[in-house]
Amino acid sequence: MSDLIAQLHSMGQFDNHHEQDISPEQLDPTMASCCARELESNRLLNQRDATLRKYDRVALAEKARKMERYVVDLDFGKGCGCSYDPNMDGGEYAALIQLREERRRVALVVEEENVYCAEEVKDNVSLDEEEDSDEDSEFDYLLDEPLPGGDEEKRLQELEELALYNSSLEQHGFGLHIQMHPSRLLRAAAMRSASGKIYPAIVHLFDAESRLCAEMDICLEEIGKKYRGSRFLRGDGRAVILLDSMIAQHLNLKVNKDVPSILCFKEGKLIIPPQDISLFGDKANGGTIVPDAVEQWLDYAGMLSYDTPPFHELCRLRPEEEAMLDYISLPEEKTPEEEFHYDCGLANCKKMFAHEHIGIETSQQSGRLVSDPEFAEGFWSSIEETKLNTNA
């Protein structure tokens, strides 16, 4: 461990340089006063807009509603489509599955022993509790009184927003240690947020048959829950170097010397040479991983952060992509089927059965009661003869 710390000292990782506010005059002494005022006003305007976006509950709710459409189901839970590929990412390797099963069995045995001890203690103190029950009953009315203050609804709303924020963090890989596909691992380590910021990424190139790698992954999972401002990723070391050979060659990664190892990416750059995970093992205890040593080394390297990204910067989908997805997700408009109308020749007639209009000549009908002229002439002549005979 001491040689790792000495190496960090030599690389300057212990220097804590905090970014200070620089005035326009210090940045450029030749800048005119009007330009300096404009620069300062723009800075204040951007700061105000960022604050309004941060506390705009309506905008945050709309953003959360949209993000729910991009969430996909993975084997470790739910993940956003901007960070994960449901067909490639996720999963566990053989050594990790076996170690989890062993620890689960040990935990069950310990739990059974604790339950047995708790039952014995409960039997011993049951008589004392019966004696004290009558004395405590006089204070039961206090449980029925409402909580002091009138901010219950506001507090519940804050808790709901906090729960939504925490779930969104996990959906984008913060607070988790996720296994990525070998062809995507190194690119995911340099993934930018919606604001363009690259958060620290700790990458474990594991050996699928190594128990030591499984112990390291379980250790990184616990550290990731604590430091949610950093991203923790893992991938099959040999497959990563072979499938993503261009980036692996740029980082000078070799299968024979860098698998298994820990990679530290900051601002998208590898800041420390790959570290063999055996350096974090306790040789006196069979070489098992020491979690405190791993956490301390990552802290010295400047890789651990509590600062999580704001909610509106989590999803990396661009506005044009969101607009396209909005259009795709719209329900298809069903065109109503046209009703059948009988073509009688009259434009505004909507009758569906065969018919004719008397007195209206159209392209389909003559408009006469009797269409045969000879029959019509004989009909009218018979009527005239009937009238003459009646008069006579």
Side-chain angles (χ1 to χ4, degrees):
M1 188 66 188
S2 58
D3 56 345
L4 294 176
I5 298 176
Q7 183 181 2
L8 287 172
H9 272 294
S10 64
M11 298 181 67
Q13 295 298 327
F14 282 90
D15 298 335
N16 296 324
H17 298 289
H18 299 284
E19 185 178 356
Q20 298 178 354
D21 295 334
I22 301 177
S23 62
E25 292 79 6
Q26 294 175 340
L27 183 63
D28 187 1
T30 61
M31 184 180 294
S33 59
C34 59
C35 298
R37 289 195 299 270
E38 182 179 0
L39 184 64
E40 181 65 16
S41 63
N42 291 338
R43 186 186 67 83
L44 294 176
L45 180 62
N46 294 334
Q47 184 178 1
R48 186 198 65 181
D49 293 343
T51 304
L52 291 176
R53 287 194 299 269
K54 181 179 180 180
Y55 294 99
D56 189 354
R57 293 181 174 178
V58 177
L60 292 178
E62 179 65 16
K63 182 73 173 178
R65 184 188 66 81
K66 289 184 176 181
M67 286 172 58
E68 285 296 326
R69 296 177 301 173
Y70 317 138
V71 173
V72 293
D73 292 326
L74 301 169
D75 57 353
F76 58 83
K78 293 184 177 295
C80 184
C82 72
S83 302
Y84 300 109
D85 187 340
N87 299 322
M88 302 173 67
D89 299 330
E92 295 182 347
Y93 53 97
L96 182 57
I97 296 174
Q98 183 179 358
L99 182 59
R100 288 191 193 278
E101 182 64 22
E102 293 178 2
R103 295 196 174 187
R104 186 186 67 84
R105 293 176 182 175
V106 173
L108 289 177
V109 173
V110 173
E111 184 179 359
E112 290 177 357
E113 294 178 354
N114 293 336
V115 170
Y116 178 76
C117 296
E119 289 179 353
E120 289 186 350
V121 174
K122 183 178 180 180
D123 293 338
N124 295 331
V125 300
S126 59
L127 296 177
D128 297 336
E129 290 180 353
E130 291 178 359
E131 295 177 358
D132 297 338
S133 60
D134 296 337
E135 297 177 359
D136 297 336
S137 60
E138 57 180 329
F139 301 102
D140 291 343
Y141 71 95
L142 296 176
L143 300 175
D144 299 331
E145 294 184 358
L147 296 175
D151 298 333
E152 290 84 359
E153 295 183 0
K154 182 179 179 181
R155 179 57 180 165
L156 289 176
Q157 187 175 8
E158 292 177 353
L159 292 175
E160 291 177 358
E161 294 176 357
L162 181 60
L164 175 62
Y165 178 60
N166 291 332
S167 63
S168 299
L169 282 175
E170 294 182 355
Q171 291 170 3
H172 292 83
F174 293 92
L176 299 175
H177 182 42
I178 305 302
Q179 181 168 327
M180 306 290 289
H181 191 269
S183 62
R184 289 169 37 84
L185 178 64
L186 298 179
R187 290 178 172 82
M191 187 180 296
R192 295 180 179 272
S193 65
S195 63
K197 183 177 180 180
I198 304 178
Y199 289 86
I202 295 95
V203 177
H204 178 208
L205 300 180
F206 63 79
D207 182 359
E209 299 178 356
S210 173
R211 181 183 177 86
L212 197 63
C213 289
E215 294 180 359
M216 174 61 75
D217 282 326
I218 292 180
C219 174
L220 292 177
E221 287 177 0
E222 297 301 323
I223 297 176
K225 296 177 183 178
K226 182 178 179 181
Y227 300 94
R228 298 194 301 169
S230 302
R231 302 175 68 240
F232 293 81
L233 308 170
R234 67 171 180 261
D236 191 332
R238 293 185 179 88
V240 168
I241 296 175
L242 294 176
L243 292 179
D244 205 353
S245 58
M246 184 179 296
I247 298 181
Q249 185 177 2
H250 176 71
L251 299 176
N252 195 23
L253 298 178
K254 305 294 182 182
V255 175
N256 54 358
K257 69 180 182 67
D258 296 325
V259 179
S261 63
I262 294 292
L263 308 180
C264 296
F265 291 90
K266 204 168 187 180
E267 297 295 333
K269 299 179 181 179
L270 185 64
I271 62 172
I272 299 176
Q275 299 296 319
D276 190 349
I277 65 172
S278 62
L279 298 176
F280 303 99
D282 185 5
K283 297 180 181 179
N285 194 17
T288 58
I289 295 295
V290 181
D292 293 338
V294 178
E295 182 177 353
Q296 184 180 7
W297 183 81
L298 291 174
D299 189 20
Y300 287 158
M303 296 300 300
L304 301 180
S305 174
Y306 294 103
D307 299 330
T308 56
F311 183 82
H312 63 276
E313 295 182 4
L314 283 175
C315 192
R316 299 184 308 109
L317 289 173
R318 298 188 298 271
E320 56 270 21
E321 293 176 333
E322 292 185 359
M324 182 184 69
L325 290 174
D326 288 341
Y327 177 77
I328 294 175
S329 60
L330 288 177
E332 296 182 358
E333 295 183 0
K334 296 182 179 180
T335 57
E337 297 181 357
E338 296 183 0
E339 296 181 355
F340 172 78
H341 299 292
Y342 178 76
D343 186 12
C344 62
L346 195 62
N348 297 325
C349 182
K350 302 297 183 181
K351 297 177 180 179
M352 294 181 289
F353 53 89
H355 63 280
E356 293 182 356
H357 295 272
I358 306 300
I360 301 176
E361 183 178 0
T362 64
S363 59
Q364 302 295 331
Q365 62 180 11
S366 62
R368 300 174 181 175
L369 181 62
V370 180
S371 58
D372 189 358
E374 296 181 357
F375 179 81
E377 185 178 355
F379 175 76
W380 288 111
S381 61
S382 62
I383 292 178
E384 292 293 338
E385 291 178 358
T386 303
K387 288 182 178 179
L388 290 176
N389 295 330
T390 304
N391 295 330

